[in-house]
Every structure is written in C-alpha cells, then in structure tokens.
C-alpha cells in the first residue's frame, strides 16, 4: 500500500522540487493540464510589461535591432534544439503547429515527387490530432495524393511502395501512447518513404533525438510542455540534408535570403530560415523565451533525462494509486504501462452507459475541486470516453498526485459528478 507519507518522502528527495518556484500556480490548484496549456513562468508578466512598455513603447521600430526582435525565431529555435536532439541553427520558432505542418508536409511531398513520383499516399493514424489530419487532407486534395488512416498497430504494415510520407504524432494526445521514433523512422526509410514527426506532446515532456533517429521533418507546439503561453508560436525542424532542397510554399519575405533587399523575386534563405513566412508575434515569442529559460535551468539538474525519470515516477504513481484507491468505479487505463510506450500523461477511460460515460462530469467535478485535467470524447468504436491527466515534472510533485487521486476517489464515492452543474458542456473542453 502506498501512503501519503511515501509521497511526501519522495517529494523531499526530488532533485527537481525547486523548479516549481519558477512558476506562478494559483493557490489550491493541482494542474494536470500542462499537456494542453502549460502554466505561467514567474518571469512572464514582467517580461511582457518590459516588451510592451520599453521595447515597443520606447524602442519602437529600433527594437527590431536593439532588442533582438528580428532574430527571435532563430534564437528560440536554438533553445529548443537540445530538447529535441536537433543541431544548432536547425530549428526556428514561428507560426502555429498547423501552419508549420503544412510547410513541412509540402516540402516532404516535393522531395517525394522528385525522388519517387509513383508514391502517392500519405499515411497517418486515425486517432492523430485532427488538425494534423485536416492539413494532410487539404494538401492531398490540392496535389492529388491519398490520405490513408490506420490504427497504431497497422503502421508497420502500411509501409509499402505507394507510401510517400508517413506523418505521425510521437505521443498521442488522447492516449499518451508513444511511438519508437528511431525504429519507426528506420522502417519507413527502408520502405522508401519520408517521415514527419509531430512533437506537440513530446517537446519538453520526453527526451527526443531527431538527429539520432534520422528523422526527416518535425514540428511541435510552444504552449504545451514548453510553457510558452496561450497561442505561443510553434517550432519547425528540417533534417539539414533536406533543408536546402526545396522551399516551403508559404514563401514570405522572412524566409527570403535578403529580406531587406526588397527584390521582386523570391530567393530562399539557406537552411531552416526559409521556413519563416512573415512578421512574427514578438510579444508571444518573448513570453515563450521565459518558458525555455526554465528548461535551461533544468539542464543544470539533469535536463530532460531527469525530467523523464520524474515524469515516469509520477505517472506510475498515479496509475498505482488510482488502482489502489479508486477500484470498482468503472475506470480503465488507456495509457500503456510499458515505459517505452508512455509519454507524460495518463488517460483513464470510462465505459459508455445509456446515461453516458460520466467522464466529462467527473472531470468537471475535479476542476471544481481545483484538480484541473480534461476530457476527451472516445472515438465511438471503443465505447469509452477519456479523462486525461498531464504530469509536468517541472511543477507537479508526488503529494500532488496523492491529492488528485484522493479528490478523484471522493468525487466517485460521493457521486457529486452527477450534479447538473457538472454536466453542462462548454465551447472548449
Ligand atoms: C496541440 C496539437 C496541435 C495544435 O496545433 P495548433 O496549430 O497550435 O492549433 C497540433 N497537433 C497536435 C498533435 C497537437 O497535439
């Protein structure tokens, strides 16, 4: 039996416990939704005020040079690079994940069209995050490709002679299941295809080695585990062997070799800079830097390896405590138990009944108690819905895990989730 005291002992021995002080987290909140929107770095409010009142208010247009605005996409890209196994000057921070996916998928199709024009299929997972599928669907329509959607266990069998690009999300948003990036990439390459990896639920959550895996293209999100703030810009990485082969279709002036030459024709900048499009949101970029500075501080305490060790300990503990303390309430586990296949979140399931699964209302009741996770509807086929809990080792501790499971137990035992106020849907779930 695991006890509260065991959890407190583990917090006391946690080498990362001081990292929490670098964030502002509301009193009484246990935040298990850092996989959707990370918490606020304590420096963010002052940094926002500085950018607005000094750099904009006083520096005005001079700040493009004097405050380093112009190079922010590259500077932040270099801060993300070590978190994802990318080299220096191989990453830029810009635009959104959806837009960056459009760019890299277009570039991948350009390469495939030249090297293997008979390959006309993009494969992805049916339960990939929808925007990834929508972007791929749009590009397929535009270019006459076919988008084929498979289950995770069918990916290997889909690597055939028709496949141009395999487009996967490394850690699934709904189940927390993680692909073996190196093995899947090697298998796709052996089959003659290119691979695009979406790191939305990986960057800052699990160690990633794009270079070691010989991945082709990658994109990821700034506002989830990187704690960049709502709508923070996303990042994009292209294997240097591909970076100069084609330019991406959103060939705006920020990706030009000499933007201030103002020539009428487009000459792409060398390397990853050509993946920029137009003028970037400087306030948002500046706030993302506050989140990335915290990863630089974590580097001194063991970096992503230490974060991964703690993340697995937190998710193991959560699973064990739910099984120990919430048995008999119809909860299941959607997240793999195998560490090699688990990201930094745990997804519980609840079966459909004629009254619904109750998963949405249980999450609402937890939120009312200050335990913030989220709900994701099941895919219908599985007949269950998902209660999703993200564990960010930078600011979640072992006692937090104990307390969140205790709240979950009380919500289930009391049946308070059946109250009408917990059963009203909102625009954002
Ligand atoms: C969160 C997430 C996105 C978000 O894309 P936006 O363009 O920022 O809205 C995209 N893909 C995946 C896999 C995600 O998890």
């Amino acid at each position: 039996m695991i006890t509260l005291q065991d959890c407190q002992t583990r917090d006391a021995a946690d080498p990362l416990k001081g990292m929490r002080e670098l964030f502002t987290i509301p009193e009484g909140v246990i935040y298990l939704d850092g996989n959707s929107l990370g918490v606020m770095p304590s420096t963010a409010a002052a940094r926002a005020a500085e950018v607005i009142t000094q750099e904009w208010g006083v520096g005005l247009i001079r700040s493009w040079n004097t405050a380093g605005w112009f190079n922010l996409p590259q500077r932040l890209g270099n801060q993300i690079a070590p978190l994802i196994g990318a080299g220096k000057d191989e990453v830029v921070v810009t635009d959104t994940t959806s837009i960056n996916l459009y760019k890299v998928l277009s570039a991948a199709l350009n390469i495939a069209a030249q090297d293997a024009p008979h390959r006309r299929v993009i494969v992805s997972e049916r339960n990939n995050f929808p925007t990834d599928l929508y972007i791929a669907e749009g590009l397929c329509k535009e270019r006459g490709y076919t988008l084929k959607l498979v289950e995770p266990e069918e990916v290997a069998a889909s690597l055939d002679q028709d496949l141009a690009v395999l487009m996967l999300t490394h850690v699934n948003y709904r189940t927390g299941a993680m692909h073996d990036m190196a093995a899947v990439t090697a298998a796709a390459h052996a089959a003659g295809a290119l691979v695009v990896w979406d790191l939305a639920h990986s960057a800052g959550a699990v160690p990633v080695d794009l270079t070691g895996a010989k991945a082709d293209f990658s994109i990821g999100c700034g506002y989830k585990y990187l704690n960049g703030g709502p709508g923070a810009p996303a990042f994009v990485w292209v294997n240097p062997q591909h970076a100069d082969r084609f330019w991406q279709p959103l060939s705006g002036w920020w990706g030009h070799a000499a933007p201030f030459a103002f020539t009428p024709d487009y000459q792409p900048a060398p390397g990853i800079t050509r993946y920029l499009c137009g003028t970037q949101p400087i306030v948002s970029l500046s706030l993302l830097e506050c989140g990335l500075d915290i990863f630089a501080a974590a580097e001194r305490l063991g970096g992503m390896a230490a974060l991964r060790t703690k993340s697995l300990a937190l998710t193991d503990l959560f699973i064990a405590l739910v099984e120990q303390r919430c048995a008999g309430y119809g909860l299941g586990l959607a997240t793999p138990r195998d560490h090699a296949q688990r990201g930094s979140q745990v997804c519980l399931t609840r079966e459909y009944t004629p009254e619904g699964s109750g998963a949405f209302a249980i999450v609402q009741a937890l939120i009312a108690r200050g335990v913030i996770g989220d709900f994701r509807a099941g895919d219908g086929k599985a007949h269950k819905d998902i209660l999703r809990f993200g564990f960010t080792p930078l600011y979640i501790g072992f006692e937090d895990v104990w307390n969140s499971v205790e709240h979950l137990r009380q919500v289930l035992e009391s049946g308070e989730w059946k109250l009408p106020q917990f059963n009203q849907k909102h625009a954002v779930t």
Side-chain angles (χ1 to χ4, degrees):
M1 290 291 265
I2 303 162
T3 65
L4 170 60
Q5 211 206 329
D6 295 335
C7 298
Q8 291 165 336
T9 305
R10 295 178 77 171
D11 276 331
D14 172 15
L16 295 169
K17 63 173 180 278
M19 299 304 293
R20 184 192 195 109
E21 305 309 319
L22 303 179
F23 296 94
T24 303
I25 304 173
E27 197 61 35
V29 164
I30 301 175
Y31 193 69
L32 304 181
D33 223 348
N35 50 334
S36 217
L37 173 63
V39 299
M40 186 176 81
S42 303
T43 53
R47 181 73 186 116
E50 184 184 23
V51 173
I52 291 166
T53 62
Q54 297 303 308
E55 296 182 4
W56 178 22
V58 178
L60 289 167
I61 201 163
R62 294 167 289 193
S63 287
W64 285 107
N65 293 310
T66 57
W69 285 356
F70 192 62
N71 293 327
L72 261 176
Q74 288 88 349
R75 192 166 84 231
L76 300 188
N78 281 332
Q79 284 184 262
I80 290 175
L83 304 178
I84 57 172
K88 191 168 180 312
D89 299 329
E90 291 178 8
V91 182
V92 284
V93 175
T94 182
D95 299 329
T96 66
T97 306
S98 305
I99 293 172
N100 289 333
L101 178 59
Y102 181 81
K103 299 175 195 166
V104 298
L105 199 50
S106 302
L109 292 178
N110 285 341
I111 291 175
Q114 187 163 87
D115 295 354
H118 58 282
R119 293 176 176 269
R120 307 296 296 173
V121 173
I122 297 173
V123 164
S124 193
E125 271 184 59
R126 182 167 289 110
N127 64 355
N128 197 347
F129 191 82
T131 201
D132 295 44
L133 301 182
Y134 303 159
I135 293 286
E137 189 183 326
L139 258 170
C140 283
K141 283 209 181 104
E142 200 176 294
R143 299 200 181 202
Y145 280 74
T146 302
L147 176 63
K148 187 174 151 192
L149 301 182
V150 301
E151 302 301 321
E153 60 277 8
E154 295 167 346
V155 169
S158 73
L159 308 176
D160 60 21
Q161 64 209 16
D162 298 327
L163 179 64
V165 180
L166 175 63
M167 179 192 85
L168 291 176
T169 297
H170 183 221
V171 175
N172 185 276
Y173 79 106
R174 202 193 256 152
T175 62
M178 181 167 72
H179 285 289
D180 180 338
M181 180 183 286
V184 173
T185 304
H189 286 171
L194 294 161
V195 189
V196 173
W197 286 105
D198 188 331
L199 301 180
H201 288 268
S202 311
V206 298
V208 175
D209 186 3
L210 289 169
T211 304
K214 300 191 171 65
D216 297 297
F217 297 89
S218 185
I219 50 164
C221 187
Y223 52 78
K224 292 173 180 163
Y225 290 94
L226 298 179
N227 305 307
F235 64 86
V236 50
W237 171 86
V238 176
N239 189 311
Q241 80 183 90
H242 303 312
D244 291 329
R245 273 193 71 184
F246 289 95
W247 66 63
Q248 48 91 7
L250 304 180
S251 45
W253 71 306
W254 275 49
H256 193 281
F260 289 93
F262 296 112
T263 59
D265 63 321
Y266 183 72
Q267 291 297 330
I272 195 65
T273 295
R274 69 181 58 186
Y275 281 80
L276 300 178
C277 179
T279 307
Q280 294 302 301
I282 296 301
V283 179
S284 295
L285 282 169
S286 302
L287 296 189
L288 173 56
E289 192 163 28
C290 299
L292 297 177
D293 285 344
I294 293 178
F295 282 91
E299 197 52 44
R300 295 187 276 282
L301 300 170
M304 284 311 303
L307 290 172
R308 176 64 170 162
T309 301
K310 182 175 171 191
S311 155
L312 286 170
L314 292 170
T315 51
D316 275 344
L317 176 66
F318 184 78
I319 293 168
L321 283 174
V322 167
E323 288 176 346
Q324 179 183 305
R325 299 172 61 76
C326 303
Y329 292 111
L331 294 176
L333 181 66
T335 302
R337 288 175 197 272
D338 179 357
H339 285 179
Q341 295 178 43
R342 189 193 306 161
S344 199
Q345 70 184 48
V346 176
C347 303
L348 304 178
T349 59
R350 212 148 183 277
E351 304 263 338
Y352 295 163
T353 69
E355 296 84 52
S357 70
F360 174 82
I362 294 167
V363 168
Q364 294 308 308
L366 282 172
I367 292 172
R369 286 165 169 264
V371 180
I372 303 182
D374 61 28
F375 160 84
R376 288 292 176 265
D379 58 11
K381 235 172 35 178
H383 300 291
K384 32 191 146 175
D385 287 330
I386 282 175
L387 303 85
R388 199 171 71 141
F389 302 98
F391 293 87
T392 304
L394 285 170
Y395 52 79
I396 295 297
F398 295 93
E399 187 172 348
D400 293 327
V401 175
W402 174 276
N403 288 332
S404 56
V405 175
E406 176 55 18
H407 280 293
L408 176 60
R409 191 190 68 74
Q410 289 176 17
V411 163
L412 292 165
E413 191 183 70
S414 66
E416 76 191 42
W417 58 274
K418 292 175 185 154
L419 292 170
Q421 70 261 38
F422 298 136
N423 287 274
Q424 279 156 13
K425 297 258 164 146
H426 312 287
V428 175
T429 57

